[in-house]
Amino acid sequence: MSLLSVKDVSYSYDGIVNVLLDVSFDVEEGAITGLVGPNGSGKSTLIKNIFDLVKLQSGTIHIGGHEHARPEAKQQAIYLSSNDYLPEFLTAREYITMMARLFDVTVDHGKALALFREFSMEGRYDDLVEDYSHGMRKKTQLVSALVVRPPLIVIDETLNGIDLEALHLAEKEFRRVREEGGSILLCTHDFSVLERLADRTVFLDLGHVVYDEPTGDLVAEHGSVAEMVFDYLETSQR
Amino acid sequence: MSLLSVKDVSYSYDGIVNVLLDVSFDVEEGAITGLVGPNGSGKSTLIKNIFDLVKLQSGTIHIGGHEHARPEAKQQAIYLSSNDYLPEFLTAREYITMMARLFDVTVDHGKALALFREFSMEGRYDDLVEDYSHGMRKKTQLVSALVVRPPLIVIDETLNGIDLEALHLAEKEFRRVREEGGSILLCTHDFSVLERLADRTVFLDLGHVVYDEPTGDLVAEHGSVAEMVFDYLETSQR
Amino acid sequence: MSLLSVKDVSYSYDGIVNVLLDVSFDVEEGAITGLVGPNGSGKSTLIKNIFDLVKLQSGTIHIGGHEHARPEAKQQAIYLSSNDYLPEFLTAREYITMMARLFDVTVDHGKALALFREFSMEGRYDDLVEDYSHGMRKKTQLVSALVVRPPLIVIDETLNGIDLEALHLAEKEFRRVREEGGSILLCTHDFSVLERLADRTVFLDLGHVVYDEPTGDLVAEHGSVAEMVFDYLETSQR
Amino acid sequence: MSLLSVKDVSYSYDGIVNVLLDVSFDVEEGAITGLVGPNGSGKSTLIKNIFDLVKLQSGTIHIGGHEHARPEAKQQAIYLSSNDYLPEFLTAREYITMMARLFDVTVDHGKALALFREFSMEGRYDDLVEDYSHGMRKKTQLVSALVVRPPLIVIDETLNGIDLEALHLAEKEFRRVREEGGSILLCTHDFSVLERLADRTVFLDLGHVVYDEPTGDLVAEHGSVAEMVFDYLETSQR
């Protein structure tokens, strides 16, 4: 089953130029899908459409089988940004409680505390976010997603700049999410992470899907995800 | 010749625990050397020693053949951080002029403007940094290093979060630096970048050099830089 | 009528120390109330209670006559923080549309555009927040509150660091909000702004209300709000 | 004696429009001078000229009696910005040591530690800046200036957003600097701070000095600094 199903989505800001044109792809249950797109690919607009932050103009998007603008759909997917913007006057405990409420789940603070320990943040769960370093804020975002754990987690460059152990641990947790049937849409320029984790990779440019294949096939064809992307950038008439 | 030569450097903050213990490695002229280190590896302390931000306690560091604390050494190496902290009330032109003055070189604004164009920042050279996005600030840092171009460029996670084209272009420019005999010390967790660019990779942990080999050899032995690092993290008694 | 009514609110994080103890105060319709509190005053905890970000332990809070945890109450009050954290991949238009949807109001983009013009941001309404300076982000927050305009606006150091004209304009807009019957809770350390705008000033310390009087009376008694606060800090047994 | 003497300074970015036109003012020894300017006043350009970040085009600037571009002048004045950008991988001790070296003074760590204690940062002097909150970074900047203590301290909106006790303490320390014969140029929009501290206030607009008078006289004439500024903004043909 598809946890995220994007079908024939087009979008234009001005009614003339299409930023997205007939974009279709799926994120299957129990799968990690990579999403790669250069500037002007339409990636941000696609994410805004998925999360109903702009009004869908054409095509359909379903999350967990529900039409994407419905409340049921919205509780199926969490978005983690590349920023470390958390409410500074909350503690991690309060932040994660708030997120759990938004997603209407009971929060398992024991699990959050265990992740805090693993992510080298033992003893900081009840401190204010305002006293966290950048890295801690990113890790707190990850912990919130792993604890709230809606069926679909969208990770948008969130791993940038976290420490090596945290990266290693995050990868393990993502694999566990997959094993348990959860899905991840992983937007990143770190091709090494993609090659390690992504079952499929979608490469978007100029508003359409250039590739949508098992990552292994793309690597077999092009040598590496990097070569796939950079060769494209070199040779396409962008 | 070594552009950077670190020999038997030890460092302790408290006189008891050694954060660095007999660290030695070289960055050769016309070479890109990767530096990888988890939390607690001593990487930051090593960089602070190289740039004379803390007083060297034992061992020697030479930059371009000069003892590292001498003014001649300091004009041989530029440090780019992972932050995008530039003086907000300067324009890029003023910032790059200031950097060129610090390094006592004549600034080639034509070259800077060409790089601004390539980095998709055409027409912004005389705007205030305060009006730049995060990405633009990172790219401005890169441009300043490429224009000032001291023999050694130390890049500390600076590429995190820049756009794909900028990454592609930066890699090309780094190769050009190498071809022209310049050296780069590249600190990054993006192992894909390391595998593409780094002639050698130094892996530091707990204050000593674990590996210091041609990157190709490390990949041949371990499968990939990621496997080298993550296997180490899994099995070592850290 | 009270738009915000806080009655006998106490709060403890650990069940032993009270961070708030029997705090009561009101923000009247058509009034601007200043809220001043040093570190450890309980101000942040109070705001978290008002916005139902932590569970109320004792006392009552009503917003627009509704019990504060009810959806009807939540649509009566907007919170503006001191940060400039807006979703970077939205335009101002998209951000303000999203906020209006949260508050279930129809957005008047004409009004937003007029405010953008007044705040010296003409032509930037459809640009991505990621390309905004810090000042622009703060001003966009203000515009969103002024356009969505729920009955109560809570401003928590939001004016810090904006330019002089924006400060002047914001003050005029706040006065207009008051004239139209709206209410503002203004948390700021800029005592000059308080003296110009706040009908009443509430001074909180160590979890209880020290002063809650017409600002004019406090100035008459103490010479200035600054003297009121600093004399208190000097002489109290904190 | 003037610690800072600006005489007939004009500056144009394009050779046509003057951003500064014949600007003259002095900061006396043992005095605090306020500097207020709206957007487009030329204030930033003036500061860039004072600190030799752009090349002086006409007029003269002397710091401590030395021509401003000379090394002797540069060691007489420190600039504190509104940002909290400190090198994240240094501790406060290392940062302050580095600043002291730049100004060629011996650092008194005992004094720095005492200020850390007063500023509620006890026990954090040897922690990495990367683990400091925004407020702590600002306070560390202040401590560095108070410890290095060159004859002239330029404070550019640095107090924005610090906590009340820190503001109170900073004001006391600024008064002490003045008593000891030091000088401060205080750029701020917090008019209450200006009225409390500034012996004189210089109001700059459109590149020329509108007012340069004892702050008490300006308050006597206009009612308050705020009224002086806002009346001007209302009535001038900007």
Side-chain angles (χ1 to χ4, degrees), chain B residues 13 48 52 89 94 101, chain D residues 13 48 52 89 94 101:
Chain B
Y13 286 97
K48 288 192 274 192
D52 194 31
F89 60 105
E94 290 166 356
R101 254 209 269 178
Chain D
Y13 286 97
K48 288 192 275 191
D52 193 32
F89 61 106
E94 291 166 356
R101 252 209 271 178

Side-chain angles (χ1 to χ4, degrees), chain D residues 23-200:
Chain D
V23 169
S24 300
F25 73 97
D26 287 80
V27 179
E28 297 299 319
E29 222 172 325
I32 299 178
T33 297
L35 177 61
V36 179
N39 273 346
S41 65
K43 196 179 63 143
S44 294
T45 303
L46 177 60
I47 289 175
K48 288 192 275 191
N49 272 282
I50 292 171
F51 283 93
D52 193 32
L53 296 170
V54 295
K55 209 174 138 38
L56 189 64
Q57 292 175 347
S58 89
T60 59
I61 299 172
H62 286 83
I63 307 177
H66 305 283
E67 191 276 313
H68 81 300
R70 299 187 56 82
E72 301 90 313
K74 291 185 181 179
Q75 290 196 340
Q76 306 265 325
I78 196 169
Y79 173 75
L80 302 191
S81 79
S82 61
N83 299 317
D84 52 6
Y85 295 169
L86 303 178
E88 302 229 327
F89 61 106
L90 297 184
T91 63
R93 182 188 297 273
E94 291 166 356
Y95 175 68
I96 289 173
T97 304
M98 185 186 83
M99 293 303 287
R101 252 209 271 178
L102 278 178
F103 282 86
D104 210 11
V105 300
T106 309
V107 61
D108 179 347
H109 289 297
K111 189 173 171 191
L113 281 163
L115 285 165
F116 257 62
R117 206 158 36 235
E118 286 195 80
F119 275 121
S120 311
M121 303 191 293
E122 183 149 25
R124 304 298 304 273
Y125 195 56
D126 288 302
D127 290 352
L128 292 176
V129 165
E130 113 185 327
D131 294 322
Y132 287 9
S133 67
H134 295 296
M136 288 182 66
R137 292 171 192 217
K138 294 215 162 196
K139 292 191 281 190
T140 301
Q141 272 197 300
L142 284 171
V143 171
S144 78
L146 291 168
V147 168
V148 169
R149 211 165 206 140
L152 177 66
I153 301 177
V154 178
I155 290 167
D156 193 359
E157 303 289 353
T158 316
L159 302 176
N160 284 345
I162 64 171
D163 58 88
L164 260 182
E165 291 88 337
L167 179 64
H168 185 41
L169 181 62
E171 294 192 8
K172 278 203 239 178
E173 290 294 329
F174 293 168
R175 287 196 183 91
R176 190 169 305 159
V177 165
R178 174 169 57 189
E179 275 158 32
E180 295 173 11
S183 301
I184 294 176
L185 182 64
L186 185 60
C187 311
T188 182
H189 293 353
D190 185 327
F191 302 131
S192 173
V193 168
L194 275 189
E195 291 175 10
R196 289 197 294 281
L197 290 183
D199 303 295
R200 287 186 86 80

